[in-house]
Amino acid sequence: MPEEPGAASPAEAPRRRRIGRGWRLAIGVAILGALAVLVSPLIGPVPIPPVVVLRILFGVADPCAGYLSHAYSCVAAPTIVLEVRVPEILLGLIAGAALGISGAGLQGVFRNPLADPFLLGISSGATLGASIVLVFQVGIQEADLFLPLFAFLGAAGTGLVVVLLARNRYGSVETLLLGGVAIAAFLSAADWLVLLYNPELGLQVDLWLLGGLGSASWSVDAIALSLVMVFGTLLALYGPELNLIQLGNDVAQSAGVATTRVRVTVILLASVVTATSVAFTGIIGFVGLVAPHVIRRTVGTDYRVVLAGSAITGAAFLLAARDVSILAFPTSELPIGIFTAFAGVPFFLYLLYRQSRVVTMGSGA
Amino acid sequence: MNSDPALRLEGLTVNYGRRPALRGVDLRVERGEMMALAGPNGSGKTTLIRAVLGLLPVDAGMIEILGAPLASLPVRERARRIAWVPQEEAARDNVRLADYVEYGRYAHRDAWSGELDGDRRAVERALASSGLTERAGDGILTLSGGERQRATLARALAQAAPILLLDEPTSHLDIGHQLDFLGRVRDLARAGEVTVIAAMHDLNLAARFTDRVVVLSRGRRVADGPPGEILSEELLLRVWGVVAERRIEPKTGVPYLIPQRLVAAPAPGAALAGWGPVHVVGGAGAATPILRLLADEGARLTVGTLNLLDSDAQTAEQLGIPSAIEAPFAPLGPEARQRNAILLGAARAIVVAAFPVGPSNLPNLDDVAPYVGRVPVFLAAEPPIAARDWTGGRAAEAWESLRAAGATVFRTPVELMAGLRKSAGAPGVEDRPQGADVH
């Protein structure tokens, strides 16, 4: 384009990014998150004095000398901290980040603030996978391995089916969403059928579903981390595409976004990332719904920030939920999924109320 | 590639299911043109724009952009060639304006490159061209309606595509913002930065701001040329079903049209519902029963040339039928005849009633002659011409020559209706006047 003489030196756009309420909130969330990471190792169902925990973490020889009276506790303490607590905390961070980022990705691709990682039946798919292991005794001897594997396959497979629906080039996003919800209903019915004929497995499946960090170990963490790192990072690169998709599919396409391909890829990546989380921690609700909203309402709506920010927020939220649940119910080990729901549902309702006032301007073509 | 036109369409056909939206449209738009795409609702304007953007499957024909077939271009490359300003963009998030405009740079980078220098310059220029530099730091939801539309323009300009497609860009704006918006777009076109194709409802704005108007009607290109040449009363009547008065703005020489009324709205279920216009030539009350009958059957009607105070003229007035009118008792003058010619030219059928012919209204018969053979002409034979010829045989001669040229003679209203129904084919939805929502 020829240079326009009049516009040679346009005035520098005034930057009006004052530190507003939103940023203060964001900084608050970040501080809370950092605090949760620091405090978490000190908290656990087995009471160990914080000083001892710190000494263990810093590798001080004979960590409990003079702090613990019973020699028995002193032997167990390093194992509890290093083989249980730290892997649990890591798994919590990984799962929280996975749920946060895939929630953000799905909300973006569906242009729907109510989308969450389990919306498209991924949870029902995982349940079906887990039920198959339990019912048909598939590799039940190595259940620690097969349960997550089948749950992963069930979850990711569901995502794949939804993606096949999403391939229609001129199909609307609403159709896709409805298709996904229908698949969820179908799988959920299948779950119920399996449980109806195997009632004795009901509690087992339920407990697994409710979610927790109990299965954490260094090897579990390594698997989860590598999957979430690879696919989560790929997902985090879709910010520019999702920004344009928010303006409508047609606008996005006219600006150069291959909308169908983006839709398929984002759903697939979100499914794999969510499936990883589900496989090792069960279904932890509301993290994926809440985290993107916290970012959008505080830092901003630019998806380049929302995706990464939701991962961080999700990780912090899940970890905080773990800490609070242990502090509140030290003896019962309440499943973390219950706790995130207790914290998440009021927030969800608050959003619903806010949304009914904001979204009426319509979603465009 | 520089000699290739900006846009070339060949036989472009798009169907929605079984309903055709575009039927074999040919179009060639040169670089640097500012073209308006006009036509009634449902004429195919938006379909054409969406097809050119690659948002719709094309059933037949070809779209070529800067010399390359659209189908062969990846989405990103399309975006580097064509940018789009939709009618209204649904923005939900309060994105900072500068960021929003920067989204338009998408096609110029890949996943790994961040904001480049060229991007920042393009964004600043786009904001400047849209007059929004001052508001770069504000959220887009805080912009006024006029600013919002300019923000969309800025986003499209940041795309730095040589072709700009606008879909009714000013339909939500007040007059001042309409002029401002189109003025900015025209300036860009004049500066050689973009080729503009804009779907526009407002013909007067189109005439004022564009070099060329292409009119679509029922999926076909029916007129194409400089606004001064093609925007005529006849075109409005034919395509929009609207009677309008055309004037020329004395300062600029730009035509402008003052819409006056819609030609009789269709009566659903009637035999000729919406079909027409049918032009009735009458006088002295001879046309009145025909006008009432055809109006009842739902035909769109025009009538001419009548003297004011003539009872046919009063019927036309009552029924709201557009007419060519001469002063009372005066011979038919050139102005009235010219108006009659416009109505005749727009007609899909002509009915010559059995009116008494004197020297003053003899031109009414002569003026019909050029249209025999081009459209169906129906000639009333009852009472016979001899009984109402007050010109000493000249009227009978003119009447006879119309018949000899192929006009259909009818004796009763039933015969006339049968003939018209045949000419109309099976009048259906497709033949409703498309301008019915102008009012």
Side-chain angles (χ1 to χ4, degrees):
Chain A
M1 279 198 326
E3 201 65 35
E4 196 183 318
S9 59
E12 180 64 30
R15 301 219 158 213
R16 295 191 201 172
R17 250 197 227 173
R18 284 157 303 196
I19 298 237
R21 196 170 59 93
W23 277 92
R24 261 181 273 146
L25 236 155
I27 292 165
V29 168
I31 291 173
L32 275 178
L35 212 65
V37 173
L38 290 176
V39 168
S40 292
L42 310 179
I43 298 167
V46 180
I48 301 173
V51 186
V52 177
V53 174
L54 289 174
R55 287 170 68 101
I56 292 168
L57 288 176
F58 285 106
V60 177
D62 194 8
C64 47
Y67 297 100
L68 280 176
S69 43
H70 305 293
Y72 163 74
S73 325
C74 201
V75 173
T79 314
I80 289 173
V81 170
L82 295 176
E83 299 300 323
V84 179
R85 281 192 194 175
V86 174
E88 259 189 34
I89 290 160
L90 263 178
L91 185 62
L93 289 172
I94 296 164
L99 294 172
I101 199 169
S102 59
L106 291 177
Q107 288 182 10
V109 91
F110 287 113
R111 285 200 289 148
N112 191 326
L114 303 181
D116 90 339
F118 304 120
L119 177 76
L120 302 175
I122 287 173
S123 53
S124 309
T127 310
L128 199 60
S131 306
I132 286 170
V133 172
L134 294 171
V135 171
F136 300 103
Q137 307 277 305
V138 184
I140 198 73
Q141 270 76 35
E142 296 90 19
D144 285 354
L145 182 69
F146 275 77
L147 212 61
L149 179 68
F150 271 67
F152 179 86
L153 292 178
T158 309
L160 199 68
V161 172
V162 175
V163 157
L164 291 178
L165 286 176
R167 273 183 30 213
N168 179 5
R169 186 161 164 216
Y170 301 101
S172 76
V173 77
E174 285 77 13
T175 312
L176 174 59
L177 199 53
L178 285 172
V181 170
I183 286 173
F186 184 85
L187 287 174
S188 176
D191 288 345
W192 280 110
L193 196 66
V194 171
L195 289 182
L196 213 55
Y197 281 93
N198 302 277
E200 73 284 357
L201 295 179
L203 189 63
Q204 224 175 326
V205 172
D206 282 351
L207 273 177
W208 178 81
L209 272 182
L210 274 171
L213 305 171
S215 73
S217 72
W218 286 106
S219 52
V220 160
D221 286 2
I223 297 170
L225 184 65
S226 44
L227 282 171
V228 171
M229 276 293 268
V230 171
F231 295 104
T233 307
L234 286 176
L235 186 52
L237 291 176
Y238 277 89
E241 284 83 354
L242 291 179
N243 278 336
L244 280 161
I245 284 175
Q246 302 319 299
L247 306 175
N249 243 29
D250 293 349
V251 171
Q253 207 171 318
S254 80
V257 178
T259 48
T260 309
R261 193 177 53 74
V262 169
R263 211 188 270 172
V264 166
T265 317
V266 168
I267 293 174
L268 207 58
L269 291 172
S271 302
V272 172
V273 169
T274 305
T276 308
S277 156
V278 170
F280 296 114
T281 67
I283 291 157
I284 298 177
F286 290 103
V287 176
L289 179 76
V290 166
H293 283 291
V294 171
I295 292 295
R296 264 206 296 273
R297 297 196 175 247
T298 55
V299 182
T301 53
D302 187 334
Y303 267 87
R304 286 170 294 193
V305 177
V306 171
L307 287 167
S310 299
I312 295 169
T313 310
F317 179 45
L318 193 49
L319 203 55
R322 170 209 177 257
D323 295 350
V324 175
S325 87
I326 292 173
L327 287 175
F329 305 92
T331 49
S332 65
E333 284 205 64
L334 200 68
I336 201 164
I338 292 181
F339 220 82
T340 54
F342 273 138
V345 169
F347 186 73
F348 179 73
L349 292 176
Y350 161 76
L351 283 177
L352 275 181
Y353 167 73
R354 293 275 305 226
Q355 220 63 56
S356 62
R357 288 188 305 182
V358 178
V359 139
T360 40
M361 73 178 89
S363 59
Chain B
M1 150 169 151
N2 249 344
S3 58
D4 292 315
L7 174 71
R8 199 162 69 86
L9 307 181
E10 222 177 78
L12 183 63
T13 301
V14 176
N15 299 320
Y16 291 132
R18 293 179 59 184
R19 193 171 66 80
L22 288 177
R23 320 182 199 201
V25 173
D26 297 327
L27 184 67
R28 192 185 158 97
V29 184
E30 300 301 334
R31 291 167 191 234
E33 272 193 84
M34 174 142 177
M35 191 201 95
L37 198 55
N41 288 341
S43 61
K45 299 188 299 291
T46 299
T47 304
L48 190 147
I49 285 185
R50 292 176 63 83
V52 169
L53 287 165
L55 298 174
L56 283 178
V58 167
D59 290 289
M62 194 213 47
I63 301 170
E64 220 178 71
I65 292 151
L66 301 166
L70 178 75
S72 75
L73 298 172
V75 186
R76 197 179 279 255
E77 180 54 32
R78 286 178 196 174
R80 290 193 205 118
R81 294 178 183 224
I82 302 188
W84 178 43
V85 177
Q87 190 167 357
E88 195 182 24
E89 200 168 274
R92 266 186 203 170
D93 299 328
N94 199 17
V95 183
R96 219 169 60 97
L97 176 60
D99 290 341
Y100 169 81
V101 174
E102 193 247 346
Y103 292 171
R105 297 295 300 163
Y106 176 77
H108 294 274
R109 39 166 109 128
D110 55 49
W112 307 100
S113 65
E115 194 167 330
L116 306 172
D117 247 20
D119 292 333
R120 234 196 52 226
R121 271 203 307 278
V123 169
E124 278 167 6
R125 277 167 52 95
L127 282 168
S129 302
S130 313
L132 288 171
T133 305
E134 295 297 305
R135 308 223 48 183
D138 297 337
I140 54 171
L141 295 185
T142 67
L143 303 180
S144 72
E147 287 171 330
R148 273 283 275 284
Q149 196 62 0
R150 286 193 326 229
T152 310
L153 175 67
R155 181 187 53 68
L157 289 176
Q159 211 166 314
I163 305 171
L164 195 57
L165 288 186
L166 309 161
D167 191 2
E168 312 276 358
T170 59
S171 56
H172 296 284
L173 304 183
D174 65 53
I175 299 176
H177 283 104
Q178 287 181 345
L179 295 178
D180 173 71
F181 185 92
L182 291 170
R184 286 173 191 281
V185 173
R186 184 186 53 190
D187 290 348
L188 289 165
R190 294 237 166 113
E193 298 207 11
V194 285
T195 305
V196 178
I197 299 166
M200 292 176 78
H201 266 314
D202 191 320
L203 297 173
N204 291 326
L205 282 176
R208 197 186 171 106
F209 285 99
T210 67
D211 320 316
R212 175 181 173 193
V213 177
V214 170
V215 179
L216 293 180
S217 176
R218 290 166 199 166
R220 289 202 173 86
R221 188 178 61 147
V222 294
D224 185 349
E229 284 173 26
I230 66 150
L231 292 181
S232 63
E233 294 173 1
E234 195 233 308
L235 182 80
L236 250 76
L237 188 59
R238 186 156 53 89
V239 176
W240 280 267
V242 165
V243 179
E245 196 182 317
R246 181 183 193 265
R247 295 198 189 151
I248 299 288
E249 223 173 19
K251 276 182 234 158
T252 55
V254 171
Y256 66 98
L257 294 150
I258 306 163
Q260 286 169 336
R261 63 174 171 275
L262 190 62
V263 178
L272 295 174
W275 192 76
V278 176
H279 187 71
V280 180
V281 182
T288 294
I290 295 174
L291 289 174
R292 289 200 187 284
L293 170 70
L294 296 187
D296 279 351
E297 295 297 344
R300 291 154 59 202
L301 294 165
T302 58
V303 62
T305 310
L306 304 170
N307 287 104
L308 195 63
L309 305 183
D310 183 294
S311 59
D312 280 344
Q314 283 166 356
T315 306
E317 172 92 51
Q318 270 172 22
L319 295 176
I321 297 170
S323 50
I325 298 286
E326 183 53 86
F329 309 111
L332 304 183
E335 233 171 88
R337 285 181 69 184
Q338 200 185 342
R339 170 122 178 104
N340 196 36
I342 287 172
L343 298 175
L344 279 165
R348 294 176 82 175
I350 296 166
V351 178
V352 181
F355 57 92
V357 190
S360 66
N361 68 347
L362 182 60
N364 262 346
L365 285 180
D366 295 335
D367 289 346
V368 173
Y371 298 95
V372 183
R374 275 163 57 183
V375 293
V377 175
F378 298 92
L379 213 48
E382 208 59 52
I385 183 69
R388 48 193 169 88
D389 179 0
W390 307 94
T391 60
R394 268 155 62 208
E397 208 176 291
W399 193 90
E400 205 53 57
S401 75
L402 288 177
R403 196 177 69 149
T408 311
V409 171
F410 69 93
R411 277 175 182 77
T412 62
V414 178
E415 278 180 39
L416 172 63
M417 271 308 295
L420 279 171
R421 215 173 283 167
K422 229 169 91 187
S423 308
V429 183
E430 210 199 300
D431 280 320
R432 298 281 161 86
Q434 305 194 343
D437 55 355
V438 168
H439 261 293

